[in-house]
Amino acid sequence: MSEQMSPERMSPETQTTFPRHVRHGSNSGQPVSRRDGRLKVTGAATYAADNHPEGLLHAVIATSTIARGRVRSLDVEAAKAHPGVVEVITPANRMPLHHDPNEKMPPFGFRVEVLQDDTVRYVNQPIAVVVAETLEAATEGVRLLAPRYEEEDARTGLDNGLRHEAQSVGVGAPGTVSFGDLDAGLKGAARVTEGDYSTPPQYHNAMEPHAVVAEWDGDTVTIDMPNQALRMSAASYAAYFGIPAENVLIRSPFLGGGFGSKAILNGPQILGILAARQLGRPVKLVLTRAQMYGPVGHRGRTWQKLRLGTGDDGKLTALHHHSIGATSSFDDFVEPAANASLMLYESPAIRVEHEGLRLDIGTPGPMRAPGEASGSASLEIAMDEAAEACGMDPLAFRLANYAETQPGTGKPFSSKALRECYEQGAAAFGWAGRPLEAGTMRDENGFLVGWGMGTAVFPCPQFPAEARATLRADGTALVETGGADMGQGAWTALAQLAAESLGLDLDKVEFHSGRSDLPDGGVAGGSGHTASAGQALSNAGGDVIARLTELATGDPDSPLFGAGNIGVVAAEGRLHRRDDETRSQSYADILARAGQKELVGTGKSGRDPASAEAFAMHSHGAVFAEVKIDPNLMQVRVSRLVGAFAAGRIINPKLVRSQYYGGMIWGISFALQEEAVADRRTGRIMNADLAEYHVPVNADVPRMEAILVPEEDPRVSPLGIKGVGEIGVTGTVGAIANAVWHATGIRVRNYPIRIEDLLRRR
Amino acid sequence: MKPFDYIRPATLAEAVTEAARPGSAYLAGGTNMLDLMKVGAAAPERLVDITRLPGLDAVEWLPDGGVRIGALVRNSDLAYDARFAASFPMVAEALLSGASAQLRNAATVGGNLMQRTRCAYFQDPASACNRRESGSGCDARDGENRMHAVLGFTEHCIAVHASDFCVPLVALGAEVEVESSDGKRTIPIDELHLLPGDTPQMETALRRGELITGVKLPAGAAAFSGHARYLKLRERTSYAFAVVSAAAALQIEDGRIAEARIALGGVAAKPWRAAEAEASLVGIEPSQPAFARAGEIALASAHPSGANAFKIELARRIVTRVLTRALEGTPERMPALPGSPFAARPDKTSGVAHV
């Protein structure tokens, strides 16, 4: 059967239409193509900045070029005199807010810069907003402001930043965790390996920059913006503007990437909404690429130290992981890098510690695999070095230190098919033939060849979420949740889960998402969106089927009369008697006989607290990398990547593979390319554009394989979904670094690995 | 951005007259100029759009076997011109190693020659830059400068010229045809781009209003076609400027090098012809030690301008390697990764175009 492309309108609110899909059997577990794919490749999908309400004004933020000091003057008159400029908003005339921007906004909000005063705390901090009839006029207005500063010395590194013990890291994790006797473990070790590692600042660089289109009507506001946490954000914006949460409608049907930066409120977005309110007209504010480097979060720079004690048997006797994480001078987000050492390997003594380093930078924030990426990038090199010291194969060494229970606490894992990941990944890669010694492999062209591996791990949270399912008289259904599709495929996977729970074909289900006035879809972060919103949708569908069953089995004229809940199966839009599937009744018929136009069910999700207490819950994986290196010029090319991942139940293997590929490509980026280069004197980022801030191009991406290792886990949630969005980054970075060592014999402990790191020592 | 006038003249005479007025700049593909205007590093009062001028978009073969490339020929059109690529393979390879496919489709031959440095301090109006604003200083000198010059720089400017295309052009002795209201003249390409000296704001030998109308490659340049390669080290496989690059071309007669051409990119404010290194090879049998010596000679006057000493060693090795590749012979087909060290070698037939 050929795919029919006759579009069917699925969501009139967002003008979202999807082509009909090819039916593969049941809804869940099928590799359904993205239902929004055609919209995206044809440009029909609308992103926030595509909205142009009547009377729209354009706002452009002026950003500081200094890292620390105060704004002494702005030539507001010159900007206002420019044709088309409507208003210049500065600390002098900014309308008041109802929440102090110097106070954090619970639960995840940071202190934000919204023109509360003339201090400058980092480069690219907003210092004014110019609003004009056109984007060009607003842009020129910003230039005409010609800010003058009173500048103080910028604190940009370890030598001049303020170090302090980090009580809490990431989003509320403890800064220090200790199990066992570290000193005894190190003293009793046959050998101790240690090293200093560093990771650079990285910026999210989603294809779609942050954008907001805001239109007020009295005390209510409609906001078009890419957003990973619709309800939470709506409540926070409401608090800033002193209005009820239900007066804020956020529409976010599609995001051009989020990676964590669109889950948390930031200054520029608030300023866009504020400008619309202050001027009484709709306003659009889009950040330039360069303006993305400062006010909207980033992956903070880290300096890490690892000490590993090992015994003669190759087992860890001690694991010490210390990390200094750069944060801003005025708020705290310390990359929880060392906590990666709490998740993977068995050791009688483990100590992880964090310090913060206050610099004149924008506050860092969560960026795809926050903590796990930077931490495992270092830990996996350290494990490789320890394996080398023990004369062991890196995989055998990891297996020797396999954690059967959660390191330190001894809690059982809800499930952990990591051993299978190692086995299947190693087999697919051909790891067994790997020589122990570095620098011995060459390919037919004479290039150095190296093989390295790393373990991947990521927690699998489940957030509170809600959903509603409405079965309609014609036997079709409407399902709704305020979810977010950053490109990961929520429009497809969530609809698959909803359709499955309703016993309906995907095409019989209309799915509404991406709006804050829908039931709360929770946060699309922490790799937990499918597990959270998906469970709520599934429960809502189940609720509808339960109600429908009640109607049918209580109807004396139904073929299902008297069958009771236990004896009915929902499939293909009909309820069937379990003991005699020839006896069935269509949903439409059941509703019609009951005289009901529709049947509404609701569902919630949230982790069972008893299960959360009893078990450690993670997704796991193993990544194997091959690099080729020019033996003389030392240019590195990743030539092969194999990842094997176990992440509970897989709803859509096609989308999941794409998530793993995306994560692994990010691993290439982290290992070999990405770095925001800040001038040590000024703190200005000298490569704040996509030409010079490198991420991989297609030609950098080798043949990749992502193996979906089967895993069942009824403990994480009834559906058994763990999450796949971030784990792919974690094992890959270290695997590539280790492959570089294996090709050259050179240990590079600073990311990204550059030509000069390999050249100067050869 | 700052408002500006936009003029689209119909004739060359009109264009050069308009452009002679102060504050004017030519606009062709716009792949560099528009970016600079957006970030505020360039603020012309008047853009003279030359893309509609007639007669500047042809590749013409001259009776003597040389070729004249119109200034408006797009980079990708030139690279994929079969006769051109066969005659001047390292020029085609350099073109295809530059920028991205989309940029190559827009960028023109004349514009490529006129592109400005990618020094981050030049592109950042908040930084001091003698090239952008004479006498303001050079923030790159004590700044982030691992990609900066190792040859021909001064305390006034350590920027590099970013073009790939110009590197083989310099090696092959191309000539640049320019025109203004005062008439036409021809400039050897090695004299087009200027080293900074104490006037880094003077970037080229062009006079005000002069327009590049074409680039000529002499007939003799095609004699290298059997042994001509371009090699570019970059930090990702496409859409990245060279850390260091080099073009090399050889003529081999009776087992000896009859003539050699070598030029380097990414090392100086101009594409760097290594004439002494070329001379060291003439008349000798090609060998690895000879190529290594040529690398030493090419970089003999190099020194770091900052945290970039590695580029000197890298440049030596690249000269050696690109000579080795040239000796191996020009591949019959353009490699899948033009200019890359990972492009397949012609004598290895592993069946894959790249690893």
Side-chain angles (χ1 to χ4, degrees):
Chain A
M1 190 176 94
S2 71
E3 192 162 3
Q4 296 173 43
M5 299 309 289
S6 63
E8 176 191 349
R9 176 164 294 187
M10 299 301 291
S11 166
E13 294 289 342
T14 53
Q15 298 292 302
T16 308
T17 57
F18 297 118
R20 292 178 64 82
H21 76 110
V22 179
R23 185 70 194 274
H24 298 277
S26 74
N27 290 293
S28 218
Q30 298 299 326
V32 180
S33 291
R34 282 166 207 277
R35 306 177 84 207
D36 50 344
R38 189 180 182 83
L39 291 178
K40 287 185 174 168
V41 298
T42 57
T46 53
Y47 292 80
D50 294 329
N51 290 287
H52 301 89
E54 189 70 29
L56 182 71
L57 291 172
H58 296 265
V60 173
I61 55 171
T63 53
S64 69
T65 54
I66 66 162
R68 184 183 177 202
R70 53 179 285 272
V71 178
R72 212 171 61 209
S73 72
L74 293 166
D75 194 345
V76 173
E77 291 314 308
K80 284 182 90 163
H82 187 71
V85 171
V86 173
E87 182 61 289
V88 177
I89 305 175
T90 70
N93 67 341
R94 193 211 72 186
M95 62 168 276
L97 288 166
H98 288 254
H99 176 83
D100 180 357
N102 291 320
E103 292 298 324
K104 286 171 175 286
M105 171 70 73
F108 298 136
F110 292 111
R111 300 184 174 101
V112 294
E113 303 70 45
V114 286
L115 310 179
Q116 56 265 45
D117 53 42
D118 62 4
T119 56
V120 175
R121 308 193 277 201
Y122 59 90
V123 171
N124 278 340
Q125 178 191 312
I127 56 171
V129 182
V130 178
V131 191
E133 297 288 348
T134 64
L135 174 62
E136 292 76 10
T139 304
E140 178 61 6
V142 164
R143 195 185 67 83
L144 291 167
L145 287 175
R148 289 167 174 277
Y149 302 97
E150 209 170 275
E151 194 170 354
E152 291 177 63
D153 288 343
R155 295 161 297 190
T156 59
L158 270 182
D159 50 343
N160 53 13
L162 180 69
R163 272 170 79 162
H164 63 286
E165 191 188 334
Q167 301 292 337
S168 140
V169 295
V171 185
T176 303
V177 179
S178 197
F179 298 107
D181 187 336
L182 186 75
D183 290 337
L186 289 168
K187 261 187 208 137
R191 62 192 66 73
V192 175
T193 49
E194 62 176 279
D196 292 306
Y197 307 83
S198 70
T199 64
Q202 299 176 352
Y203 284 76
H204 300 80
N205 273 314
M207 284 285 284
E208 177 201 26
H210 285 255
V212 56
V213 175
E215 184 172 18
W216 287 84
D217 180 5
D219 265 351
T220 68
V221 62
T222 302
I223 306 169
D224 294 301
M225 62 157 48
N227 194 298
Q228 294 177 243
L230 293 157
R231 274 294 188 93
M232 190 176 83
S233 300
S236 300
Y237 287 123
Y240 274 108
F241 290 97
I243 55 175
E246 58 271 23
N247 285 16
V248 176
L249 170 62
I250 299 178
R251 298 186 295 199
S252 180
F254 306 107
L255 292 82
F259 312 122
S261 77
K262 290 168 181 168
I264 292 172
L265 262 62
N266 56 63
Q269 292 170 332
I270 296 167
L271 287 171
I273 300 163
L274 179 148
R277 176 151 233 205
Q278 186 160 338
L279 296 174
R281 283 174 66 179
V283 165
K284 179 197 290 198
L285 190 154
V286 183
L287 293 190
T288 66
R289 179 60 58 184
Q291 289 172 342
M292 298 280 289
Y293 291 71
V296 296
H298 69 282
R299 194 195 301 280
R301 189 174 173 189
T302 71
W303 297 262
Q304 302 175 45
K305 185 185 276 295
L306 274 139
R307 284 194 294 168
L308 277 62
T310 42
D312 285 325
D313 53 0
K315 287 189 188 298
L316 288 169
T317 60
L319 171 55
H320 184 200
H321 195 159
H322 177 272
S323 179
I324 302 169
T327 185
S328 66
S329 65
F330 56 93
D331 210 342
D332 297 290
F333 185 92
V334 174
E335 190 76 4
N339 289 352
S341 287
L342 294 173
M343 282 181 267
L344 275 177
Y345 303 112
E346 184 60 42
S347 172
I350 301 177
R351 184 170 174 81
V352 302
E353 298 164 313
H354 293 88
E355 284 181 70
L357 180 73
R358 296 212 179 280
L359 301 177
D360 297 309
I361 57 174
T363 308
M367 177 161 145
R368 203 173 189 186
E372 291 82 7
S374 306
S376 84
S378 307
L379 172 63
E380 290 304 317
I381 299 180
M383 287 295 285
D384 221 57
E385 294 183 70
E388 183 195 353
C390 294
M392 287 176 72
D393 172 81
L395 175 55
F397 181 71
R398 283 166 177 82
L399 284 166
N401 291 288
Y402 194 89
E404 300 292 350
T405 59
Q406 188 180 42
T409 67
K411 257 190 204 181
F413 289 105
S414 60
S415 64
K416 182 179 178 178
L418 176 57
R419 215 180 284 283
E420 291 80 354
C421 295
Y422 285 139
E423 280 167 14
Q424 294 182 32
F429 185 83
W431 180 262
R434 178 185 179 277
L436 263 193
E437 205 184 323
T440 63
M441 299 203 301
R442 298 258 177 162
D443 77 354
E444 72 279 9
N445 287 309
F447 294 121
L448 305 174
V449 178
W451 290 357
M453 56 105 31
T455 310
V457 67
F458 198 79
C460 42
Q462 189 183 33
F463 304 112
E466 297 172 9
R468 182 167 55 227
T470 306
L471 186 63
R472 299 186 287 215
D474 62 356
T476 66
L478 167 68
V479 292
E480 302 164 286
T481 190
D485 196 329
M486 297 97 77
Q488 84 278 37
W491 278 112
T492 308
L494 293 180
Q496 282 178 270
L497 281 167
E500 178 183 67
S501 69
L502 286 161
L504 284 173
D505 186 274
L506 192 50
D507 290 335
K508 294 273 198 295
V509 175
E510 184 177 334
F511 176 44
H512 285 192
S513 181
R515 292 172 57 105
S516 65
D517 58 354
L518 297 173
D520 184 3
V523 180
S527 301
H529 198 37
T530 312
S532 307
Q535 186 70 57
L537 284 162
S538 183
N539 291 348
D543 188 31
V544 164
I545 296 300
R547 289 166 195 269
L548 193 67
T549 303
E550 218 167 285
L551 291 180
T553 57
D555 175 1
D557 292 331
S558 166
L560 304 172
F561 180 67
N565 277 3
I566 197 70
V568 173
V569 177
E572 307 284 332
R574 303 178 74 85
L575 292 184
H576 304 256
R577 277 188 73 110
R578 193 184 292 275
D579 55 353
D580 179 3
E581 293 205 1
T582 62
R583 296 173 68 182
S584 69
Q585 190 176 13
S586 75
Y587 297 171
D589 195 30
I590 297 168
L591 287 181
R593 289 191 49 81
Q596 300 225 13
K597 277 196 195 134
E598 59 178 35
L599 202 53
V600 179
T602 58
K604 288 188 177 192
S605 76
R607 177 146 295 148
D608 169 28
S611 190
E613 180 57 33
F615 298 100
M617 301 175 179
H618 302 295
S619 297
H620 295 93
V623 181
F624 298 83
E626 177 185 86
V627 300
K628 296 196 172 181
I629 302 179
D630 186 297
N632 193 239
L633 307 177
M634 305 312 284
Q635 187 160 26
V636 180
R637 186 171 168 77
V638 178
S639 50
R640 224 152 42 94
L641 278 179
V642 174
F645 302 95
R649 185 171 169 210
I650 298 304
I651 303 308
N652 184 322
K654 189 173 188 174
L655 294 173
V656 165
R657 236 176 225 115
S658 292
Q659 285 289 293
Y660 291 148
Y661 289 154
M664 289 157 74
I665 292 167
W666 201 312
I668 298 174
S669 192
F670 195 126
L672 301 176
Q673 296 183 348
E674 263 188 88
E675 177 179 18
V677 178
D679 185 287
R680 293 179 300 280
R681 302 159 297 179
T682 64
R684 274 204 299 283
I685 293 166
M686 301 313 294
N687 61 342
D689 59 67
L690 290 180
E692 299 295 337
Y693 182 99
H694 287 177
V695 296
V697 296
N698 281 330
D700 292 310
V701 178
R703 197 175 74 207
M704 289 195 295
E705 192 177 343
I707 300 166
L708 278 49
V709 174
E711 188 178 65
E712 284 187 25
D713 191 336
R715 290 156 178 157
V716 287
S717 68
L719 285 171
I721 299 167
K722 278 184 160 180
V724 299
E726 295 165 86
I727 187 172
V729 186
T730 63
T732 310
V733 184
I736 292 169
N738 293 336
V740 168
W741 169 80
H742 190 237
T744 62
I746 300 169
R747 283 281 178 206
V748 182
R749 299 182 181 87
N750 304 319
Y751 292 105
I753 298 169
R754 298 216 181 273
I755 289 174
E756 60 259 44
D757 296 321
L758 303 173
L759 196 67
R760 65 169 66 117
R761 285 187 271 176
R762 222 182 143 81
Chain B
M1 74 183 74
K2 197 178 118 187
F4 56 89
D5 289 335
Y6 171 82
I7 297 163
R8 203 164 73 199
T11 66
L12 211 152
E14 204 185 322
V16 296
T17 306
E18 286 291 347
R21 295 163 61 194
S24 299
Y26 288 114
L27 176 70
T31 58
N32 188 204
M33 174 60 88
L34 297 184
D35 282 353
L36 291 173
M37 289 171 70
K38 284 183 197 168
V39 299
E45 286 162 29
R46 188 178 309 99
L47 279 184
V48 181
D49 182 344
I50 58 167
T51 53
R52 308 297 205 283
L53 294 184
L56 297 180
D57 60 353
V59 179
E60 299 165 59
W61 292 89
L62 307 174
D64 69 352
V67 68
R68 182 186 178 281
I69 311 153
L72 289 178
V73 172
R74 305 283 163 172
N75 285 191
S76 40
D77 286 338
L78 183 60
Y80 291 118
D81 181 310
R83 184 173 170 190
F84 181 84
S87 304
F88 311 104
M90 70 177 177
V91 181
E93 188 167 19
L95 279 168
L96 292 178
S97 76
S100 65
Q102 293 88 339
L103 287 167
R104 292 193 295 269
N105 288 341
T108 63
V109 161
N112 191 303
L113 268 54
M114 292 304 291
Q115 69 180 288
R116 317 289 294 277
T117 180
R118 261 58 179 197
C119 172
Y121 297 90
F122 171 78
Q123 297 189 50
D124 171 26
S127 292
C129 173
N130 289 323
R131 186 169 284 256
R132 177 167 32 76
E133 194 184 336
S134 180
S136 64
C138 172
D139 275 348
R141 274 178 57 209
D142 297 317
E144 299 303 320
N145 50 24
R146 58 183 283 275
M147 295 285 276
H148 283 70
V150 294
L151 284 165
F153 62 91
T154 64
E155 59 181 316
H156 303 289
C157 181
I158 62 171
V160 299
H161 195 257
S163 170
D164 292 298
F165 179 46
C166 290
V167 177
L169 289 184
V170 163
L172 293 174
E175 292 185 324
V176 183
E177 298 180 344
V178 302
E179 192 166 336
S180 71
S181 35
D182 295 336
K184 301 180 184 186
R185 64 181 181 127
T186 298
I187 307 170
I189 192 168
D190 198 29
E191 293 169 20
L192 176 69
H193 303 101
L194 306 180
L195 290 174
D198 55 6
T199 55
Q201 75 278 11
M202 309 279 291
E203 296 177 38
T204 71
L206 293 190
R207 300 172 191 140
R208 192 159 83 193
E210 267 185 335
L211 176 67
I212 294 178
T213 53
V215 175
K216 247 171 44 184
L217 278 166
F224 293 96
S225 63
H227 295 278
R229 293 304 301 269
Y230 184 69
L231 184 62
K232 175 180 182 182
L233 243 79
R234 55 196 140 172
E235 298 187 316
R236 65 179 165 192
T237 307
S238 175
Y239 191 35
F241 293 105
V243 179
V244 180
S245 70
L250 298 171
Q251 289 180 43
I252 313 283
E253 284 169 19
D254 303 327
R256 289 181 181 275
I257 298 170
E259 205 170 341
R261 299 291 176 84
I262 304 167
L264 288 147
V267 294
K270 59 183 287 187
W272 191 269
R273 177 95 179 252
E276 288 175 33
E278 292 172 0
S280 78
L281 294 171
V282 175
I284 65 167
E285 286 180 21
S287 69
Q288 281 300 307
F291 290 165
R293 196 169 62 247
E296 294 291 336
I297 294 168
L299 275 299
S301 64
H303 53 285
S305 61
N308 58 358
F310 78 98
K311 285 181 65 166
I312 299 172
E313 177 58 20
L314 194 58
R316 286 190 193 107
R317 295 186 189 187
I318 284 175
V319 168
T320 311
R321 174 68 63 80
V322 74
L323 283 165
T324 308
R325 284 208 166 172
L327 179 67
E328 287 168 352
T330 308
E332 269 177 43
R333 283 174 50 221
M334 181 64 69
L337 301 174
S340 166
F342 293 97
R345 298 179 190 189
D347 57 336
K348 307 275 182 184
T349 48
S350 61
V352 289
H354 64 274
V355 292

